[in-house]
Structures are given as C-alpha cells and as structure tokens.
Amino acid sequence: MYFRRTLLVPALFMFALYGGVFDPSWGEEAYAAIQAPKTRAVKIIDRDESNQPLRFPSGLTYDSASDEILITCPQKNKLTITTSDYFPYIALGSGRGLRSVGKSFTRNGLIYVCIGHGGPDQRAHIAVFDGALLPVEQFYFPDFPDFSPTDLAVSENGRMYVVGAGVPGVLVLDSKGQYLHTLSPREEVQGKTEEALIQAVDIGSDGRLYFVSEGKGRVYVYDAAEDFLFKFGEKGGEPGKLSRPRAIAVDDARRRIFLVDYQRHTVPVFSIDGQYLYELGGLGTSRGWFHYPMDVELDGQGRLLVADAFNHRVQVIEFIGQPRQDPTAAGESLAAEFALEQAPAPRILTIDSIETSLPEGEVGEFLVLVLLSPDREAAEVVAGDLRRKEFPAFIRSVERTRRGTWHQVFTGPYKTPLQAYNTAEQLRTEEGLPAIVKTLGERTEFRLPSQPATPSPGEAMKTGKTETPDSQPQEKMQH
C-alpha cells in the first residue's frame, strides 16, 4: 500500500544545535522537507514453516550467503527461515539448543544468535551455527554474569558488538569470543555524565557502527576503528523525534537509515548523516500500518522488512520508483527525489519468478508452491493427497545453497494469475498449506479482485474468469 505522510524536517542549524549531527563537514548540505516515497507492502509473512501463525516476531536478519531471511520467534524459541521470496520452509529451534532466543546476525556463512538466561542449566551466550544449521561455537560472558544478550552485529574480521540487559554500552568481543572492551556512548544530563543503555546495533557496508539508545532517543555512530563520529536523534513523541527506538537497518546504497519507533508504531527514516527525512506507518492493522513494531531489515532486493510484532506478521515493503543508489550529492535538495502525489493503491499481488519444469504436455505460466521439504517422502505424501483432491500437483527437486537437496510441491500450471491466486487461497484456508503464487515468466504484478471467487480445482483449470479489481486505500486506526 502507499503510505501518505506530510513531513517536517527541522532546519539544519536547529538540528545540530539540539543534538543532531556533530560533524561540521555536513553543515553545508541543504535538506528540504520531503514527502515519503511511494511504497507498497508487497508481501505479508504471517505463518511459520509449519503453517502455524507467527506470534510476536521480534527480530529480522537477512543472510546474504544463502539469500534467506531469519525471523526471530521468541514465544516459540526459534528462528523461522524463509526463502528469498518469503516462503517459510525450515526453522532453527529448541532442537539446536535455542531457548530465550533473541536477535541474530549473519556473517561469512555463519549465523550468530543471542541466547538469554534459560534457568540454572542455561547461561546467556552467543550461539554460532554454520550454513547447515549445525552448532559451531558458544561464546559466554564470564566477566558479566548478569548480562543477557539481545542484539549483536559482527564485523568483517569477526569482531562482535553485543548489547543486552544488565550492562550499559556495547560489549566488544574478538572472533574467538574473548571480551576486549566496552564502547560506552555517554550523555550529559543535568550536569552529570550518564552511560547510554543501548538496545540495537548495526554495521554499515563501510564498517561504521550504529548504536541505538531507546532511553535517550539517540543513534550513536562510530567509524570502523571504533572512534566516535557523531550522534543524531532527539527524544520525543512527534514526527522527527524518537520516542522509543528499538531497531536499526542501514542502507548504504540509498544512503538511508531506517529505525523502528516501538511506541509510535512507525519506521522513521533518516539520511546517512542523521537528518530526519520522513516516516512510514502508524498505528493500524491494514497493510502498511504497524502495531508495536520490533525490528527492521533490508533484503537482497532492497525491500524493507518490518517485524510487526503485535499484528503477528512481517511486512515486506517495496519502494516504488526510488533507485537503490541515491544520486543526491552535497548541496542538492532532496525534495525532487520523491513524487509529490501519493495516490492510494489497489490491492496488488506481486508474483515472483521461479525456474522449474512443467509436467510433460502441461501448458501455463503460473504455479502455486505449497511445500518445500528436505524429506522426499513427505513431499510425496502431500502431493498424493492433493491429487486425490483433484489438484494438479507435481514435485520438483532443487539444490539449496548450503542446505542440500529440497523437494518442491507445486499445483498447476494455471493460465491466468487469478486461477493461481484462487487456488492458493483455497489451499491456505482449506488445506492449511503456506501456498504462494509463482510465475515461470518475468516477475509481475496482479491486481486482486474485490471478492475473490474460489472455484473448485477442476473449474480453476477450465475457466479463465477475471474480475474487476477495486481500489482500497488504507484508513488509519485512531490512537
């Protein structure tokens, strides 16, 4: 959906004066009040790998090595892993020792997971897994017995930056898990120096470190050598200020910093040097609106993922017409970067492409993916059950990076996206399968009908009925 926001950006002088950017080299850069870019929530992830509802997703990590997304599900003590097209297919859970699970981070083919205190038989630590989801290392905190990690980031050389409950600042560990020192952002409060409690961390592509303090409403920025550069943000409950920031994602390609403001149900967006630009969302349940969001991440397609915790889903947000590489140079206005008109959008289904082969003699461009499993026998059972119910099901095997051979169960092919969409809806509601529509052609978009009809499997194969889509602008929920 399109987000509509009127933005107010303080003058650069006032922003710097009241605790914004402290590096004078940015003082001459001209920033204008801008509107949010056109955006659309193209995917909703609300089911896990067992097709059970997601419950309070609290963390997101993009694994560039496998092109997958990891979703922290603390109530179920697991990480649900989805494919690059957001199909949940496997989990890293209690079978691998995950209890009191926090956020994760991936680097150089390894998955680092924050594990909190879990009773007398589990001390807080960082658990490390390889690409096959096998345990590799466990790093404990003997110098900080009360510390419980909740978020971390890992540099290219393996140095870990860990934050959590029980210790202010950021604990720095070497690649072997040995404690090195603590980075302690500080604030002057009524003439006294206070250490800032840090809730979230991220690392930019240039090695810059970003630390978020919920209590101070600040982001502290350090260079790759751990030298302080500047801080930005101001505590407050209105656009342009940070009420309770809890997560951060740095997009160096667009020169943007995305935060999550838990209390205001928004995603505030700043320039890479800390200037407030606009915000996304607000309190609501429709697409594009959030209810106590907990994390934010960018995937390999440049889409923004938001852990919409109290709506029990992850929203995948796409920027419309905004280049991933930000062309703005110093001295130029940002106002021309975005379209001024924000028209409401109809419900649109984004259909991603997939490479596979059809059964001999079958013709059609659209498929429904209903299962991705490492167990061939399980795939055969699901496909056989669907065939008995007159769904045209078939199996194809695929090699997944670092995961071995997996087996896909499809139904189809279908000649129109409407046929595939109606079948997917039927499989989700009646069969409890996490069905998603795919295309054998190029990635495309399909406007959803106002009242999607769900024909029988046989009718879906024979008919090519279309319906007139409607436009459904979002209405904001009142606080």
Side-chain angles (χ1 to χ4, degrees):
M1 288 296 172
Y2 293 100
F3 300 135
R4 194 166 188 164
R5 279 291 178 270
T6 302
L7 305 171
L8 178 63
V9 181
L12 181 61
F13 171 75
M14 296 299 292
F15 189 85
L17 180 63
Y18 289 104
V21 179
F22 289 88
D23 188 331
S25 65
W26 291 302
E28 297 179 1
E29 191 163 356
Y31 283 87
I34 63 173
Q35 280 191 303
K38 289 182 178 180
T39 58
R40 182 170 63 238
V42 295
K43 298 283 185 181
I44 297 293
I45 307 171
D46 57 5
R47 295 276 169 168
D48 64 14
E49 77 293 341
S50 301
N51 200 38
Q52 297 300 307
L54 282 182
R55 296 291 294 169
F56 301 102
S58 63
L60 296 166
T61 300
Y62 172 64
D63 185 355
S64 59
S66 58
D67 197 19
E68 296 174 338
I69 295 113
L70 286 65
I71 304 172
T72 301
C73 302
Q75 281 203 341
K76 298 181 180 181
N77 283 317
K78 67 180 181 181
L79 299 176
T80 290
I81 302 175
T82 82
T83 60
S84 60
D85 52 4
Y86 319 112
F87 189 93
Y89 79 102
I90 194 172
L92 177 59
S94 58
R96 292 283 188 262
L98 267 65
R99 286 183 291 168
S100 302
V101 60
K103 294 182 181 180
S104 62
F105 196 89
T106 63
R107 176 73 75 183
N108 299 326
L110 297 176
I111 302 171
Y112 299 75
V113 186
C114 293
I115 305 295
H117 293 292
D121 60 337
Q122 178 180 289
R123 292 178 294 151
H125 62 280
I126 302 297
V128 187
F129 300 87
D130 64 15
L133 307 184
L134 298 175
V136 176
E137 297 276 4
Q138 291 184 336
F139 300 133
Y140 293 88
F141 305 92
D143 298 322
F144 305 92
D146 297 326
F147 179 71
S148 187
T150 56
D151 195 12
L152 82 162
V154 184
S155 68
E156 284 285 356
N157 62 9
R159 182 168 286 196
M160 290 170 271
Y161 299 87
V162 190
V163 300
V167 174
V170 182
L171 300 185
V172 183
L173 314 181
D174 67 15
S175 61
K176 302 298 183 182
Q178 296 299 310
Y179 171 72
L180 299 176
H181 53 266
T182 300
L183 294 177
S184 301
R186 300 174 185 273
E187 291 282 348
E188 291 289 333
V189 180
Q190 296 180 346
K192 296 182 179 180
T193 300
E194 294 183 356
E195 286 185 279
L197 295 174
I198 304 299
Q199 275 71 38
V201 297
D202 199 10
I203 295 182
S205 59
D206 58 358
R208 278 189 176 185
L209 305 166
Y210 298 82
F211 306 142
V212 179
S213 173
E214 179 180 350
K216 303 300 182 185
R218 296 277 203 197
V219 177
Y220 303 89
V221 185
Y222 290 68
D223 65 17
E226 301 179 0
D227 293 322
F228 175 74
L229 294 176
F230 64 97
K231 59 185 176 182
F232 66 89
E234 180 182 358
K235 190 74 171 177
E238 60 197 59
K241 296 183 180 180
L242 300 174
S243 177
R244 295 182 65 184
R246 285 199 172 180
I248 184 171
V250 178
D251 186 352
D252 286 302
R254 289 194 188 95
R255 297 179 58 79
R256 295 289 180 264
I257 298 171
F258 299 91
L259 299 172
V260 157
D261 195 323
Y262 176 83
Q263 189 67 37
R264 297 189 62 248
H265 316 281
T266 60
V267 174
V269 184
F270 291 75
S271 67
I272 201 69
D273 55 8
Q275 304 293 329
Y276 173 72
L277 300 177
Y278 56 87
E279 66 181 23
L280 304 175
L283 178 61
T285 58
S286 298
R287 288 189 176 214
W289 302 92
F290 311 126
H291 192 188
Y292 294 117
M294 293 285 286
D295 202 6
V296 64
E297 179 64 296
L298 291 145
D299 70 6
Q301 304 178 67
R303 292 171 171 175
L304 188 71
L305 284 71
V306 180
D308 190 6
F310 277 64
N311 282 328
H312 306 292
R313 65 190 181 186
V314 173
Q315 295 200 55
V316 183
I317 298 169
E318 186 173 73
F319 293 87
I320 308 301
Q322 185 186 15
R324 188 78 194 275
Q325 182 61 47
D326 190 335
T328 307
E332 295 180 355
S333 170
L334 294 177
E337 211 177 315
F338 309 114
L340 297 179
E341 295 299 324
Q342 303 290 322
R347 296 192 309 156
I348 293 178
L349 174 69
T350 300
I351 304 176
D352 289 316
S353 178
I354 192 168
E355 292 185 7
T356 191
S357 60
L358 296 178
E360 185 176 356
E362 296 291 342
V363 177
E365 183 179 345
F366 300 95
L367 299 171
V368 177
L369 175 62
V370 298
L371 181 70
L372 182 59
S373 172
D375 187 341
R376 176 76 187 198
E377 183 177 346
E380 293 283 3
V381 169
V382 171
D385 184 60
L386 290 174
R387 292 189 198 104
R388 284 191 294 274
K389 296 176 181 178
E390 299 184 355
F391 288 95
F394 64 95
I395 298 174
R396 291 292 180 266
S397 298
V398 63
E399 292 296 322
R400 293 201 59 79
T401 305
R402 305 186 301 163
R403 302 273 193 267
T405 302
W406 286 68
H407 308 284
Q408 302 167 314
V409 178
F410 295 96
T411 70
Y414 305 96
K415 294 182 179 179
T416 71
L418 180 61
Q419 294 171 353
Y421 168 74
N422 286 337
T423 300
E425 287 296 294
Q426 184 178 359
L427 290 169
R428 277 192 289 263
T429 57
E430 297 181 9
E431 305 298 328
L433 294 169
I436 60 174
V437 179
K438 311 293 290 185
T439 178
L440 295 172
E442 295 183 356
R443 179 175 174 266
T444 186
E445 294 179 345
F446 166 62
R447 291 190 174 192
L448 299 178
S450 55
Q451 296 294 331
T454 306
S456 69
E459 291 174 340
M461 290 296 294
K462 296 175 183 177
T463 65
K465 296 180 181 179
T466 58
E467 298 188 38
T468 303
D470 67 343
S471 177
Q472 298 188 8
Q474 300 293 341
E475 295 294 334
K476 184 173 181 179
M477 180 183 289
Q478 298 296 316
H479 289 263

